[in-house]
Amino acid sequence: VCVVFAGCGRQEPVRQTVLVMDTVATLTATGPEAEAAVSEGVARLRELEAMASPAGADSDLVKLAAAAGNGQWVKLHPEVYHMLAVSQQYSERSGGAWDVTAGPLVELWGIGTERARVPSAAEIAAARAKVGWQKLELLPQTQSARLMEAGMCLDLGGIAKGYALDEVRRIYAQHGIKDGLINLGASSLYALGRNDKGQPWRIGIRDPRAEDKDTRLAVVPLGDAALSTSGDYERYFEQDGVRYHHIIDPRTGAPAQNAAMSATIVVAGSCADAGMLSDLLTTTVFVLGPVQGQAFLEGLPAEVQGMLCDKQYKLWPAHGFEACLQDRQLPGADQ
Ligand code: ADP
């Protein structure tokens, strides 16, 4: 067979990089239908971007915000409904550490935008009054939702890319793709099978304080699993020695201030919603902090592994994640 099919060793992967969902996404796939899988994957990312964006005519978020407080139910795209349904489960489970209604706080702080600043206590209190997952109601029969108070709005920034991973993964499966990488901006990705060299994918976990983006805490070998990392180094500004970053603790109304520097989650592909879970759980456990975050992860099924890295570079692994880490680098290597 090898003689008949030239290059029987490995096929060349198809790879496409696009700017979508506020990030640089690279889709890679190998196999006879790789071309179709990648181009359909990119098209799907663009559709999801339109549905889940905080602006735009087809955005459910815009419709929900416009109807907030008026009692009307808003019929949602099934995709958005699904994100919200899963989201609400984790809000309840995490005691509100995870909360998609944090929109007014995300907006107020503006982290990562030119208007980022430390708001006054009064401004924070006013925004917090418009936040609360219990004030987001879902109606499964009609896949509708409503926000109970005027001024409320949703922010899917911590979950939409994860959902997108699952969708592209589904498209890959339809095309029989066994080897590939769905990389949405390096902080959220889904690896399938093996890389171009026939080896397991090796994903570097960034050192949260290194200037050089390529300095790693460790490397995680991955096959058929989703991996996400979030931290206080991605989008932030510093003022008076405090680092104000993009992960908001809805309970205080401010960027989460605890010992965590980053959180990394791996969810096995056998888990439904693997991409979405990996994405939302990084934010959730970051807000909970190392001690509670680790305990939270230990309470989830064993298909969910992960760790927090604290400001002393101490790792807080769950479900045996430390055994997955390779090439541990300084300064965490001796721990
Ligand atoms: P990214 O990796 O794309 O920067 P993350 O997965 O780190 O995004 O999620 C952070 C984003 O989630 C924030 O930019 C904001 O939009 C949203 N967010 C922040 N805090 C919370 C929270 N406590 N619950 C839900 N979403 C949040």
Side-chain angles (χ1 to χ4, degrees):
V1 179
C2 280
V3 181
V4 178
F5 296 107
C8 143
R10 307 288 311 169
Q11 280 171 293
E12 278 300 303
V14 172
R15 180 168 289 131
Q16 197 179 335
T17 297
V18 290
L19 199 57
V20 67
M21 300 180 99
D22 263 341
T23 199
V24 181
T26 301
L27 304 193
T28 308
T30 308
E33 295 184 35
E35 202 78 62
V38 167
S39 64
E40 281 174 39
V42 167
R44 186 72 181 134
L45 293 177
R46 297 212 189 285
E47 275 173 21
L48 293 172
E49 175 177 52
M51 273 176 221
S53 83
D58 196 34
S59 165
D60 285 345
L61 301 198
V62 173
K63 293 176 196 159
L64 275 167
N70 76 6
Q72 302 275 308
W73 292 96
V74 175
K75 185 147 175 56
L76 304 177
H77 290 97
E79 294 88 343
V80 175
Y81 185 85
H82 184 58
M83 280 187 250
L84 297 186
V86 173
S87 176
Q88 290 292 75
Q89 289 172 21
Y90 283 87
S91 293
E92 182 163 18
R93 234 174 151 145
S94 67
W98 168 261
D99 191 340
V100 281
T101 72
L105 288 167
V106 173
E107 178 63 27
L108 175 65
W109 285 87
I111 310 282
T113 70
E114 281 178 5
R115 56 187 171 75
R117 64 181 176 95
V118 180
S120 70
E123 287 173 310
I124 292 175
R128 274 188 68 203
K130 295 180 212 144
V131 172
W133 62 274
Q134 291 99 335
K135 293 185 282 190
L136 161 63
E137 288 192 312
L138 300 181
L139 199 59
Q141 296 85 343
T142 54
Q143 306 238 307
S144 305
R146 65 179 175 187
L147 294 166
M148 300 300 282
E149 274 175 41
M152 287 182 75
C153 64
L154 301 184
D155 182 305
L156 299 180
I159 190 172
K161 278 189 267 173
Y163 181 80
L165 289 178
D166 294 326
E167 283 295 285
V168 178
R169 165 81 183 89
R170 196 175 52 74
I171 290 166
Y172 274 27
Q174 284 167 355
H175 288 285
I177 305 297
K178 304 240 169 359
D179 301 306
L181 188 69
I182 305 158
N183 188 344
L184 302 187
S187 65
S188 286
L189 53 86
Y190 197 107
L192 289 96
R194 305 207 153 224
N195 68 15
D196 316 357
K197 300 186 184 80
Q199 308 288 329
W201 294 98
R202 286 168 52 80
I203 310 300
I205 311 290
R206 198 175 143 183
D207 178 334
R209 290 291 177 273
E211 295 281 311
D212 170 13
K213 278 208 275 198
D214 293 328
T215 306
R216 307 289 181 208
L217 285 180
V219 167
V220 183
L222 216 60
D224 206 22
L227 180 148
S228 291
T229 299
S230 276
D232 63 5
Y233 56 90
E234 291 171 298
R235 275 177 275 150
Y236 70 96
F237 67 92
E238 273 175 337
Q239 190 174 307
D240 304 327
V242 180
R243 182 181 282 244
Y244 296 99
H245 55 80
H246 71 309
I247 303 173
I248 304 282
D249 186 340
R251 303 164 305 180
T252 62
Q257 299 296 340
N258 61 52
M261 266 194 313
S262 77
T264 298
I265 305 284
V266 171
V267 182
S270 54
C271 234
D273 303 317
M276 195 164 46
L277 289 185
S278 69
D279 199 15
L280 80 85
L281 286 172
T282 53
T283 306
T284 308
V285 301
F286 192 102
V287 171
L288 291 173
V291 176
Q292 284 183 45
Q294 184 188 43
F296 187 82
L297 290 176
E298 292 287 4
L300 296 175
E303 289 95 338
V304 179
Q305 291 181 297
M307 65 174 184
L308 289 102
C309 174
D310 76 14
K311 291 182 173 110
Q312 268 71 51
Y313 283 95
K314 182 178 171 197
L315 303 184
W316 298 73
H319 289 138
F321 191 63
E322 64 274 34
C324 305
L325 302 176
Q326 297 180 352
D327 302 351
R328 294 275 296 274
Q329 287 180 13
L330 288 171
D334 56 343
Q335 300 187 19

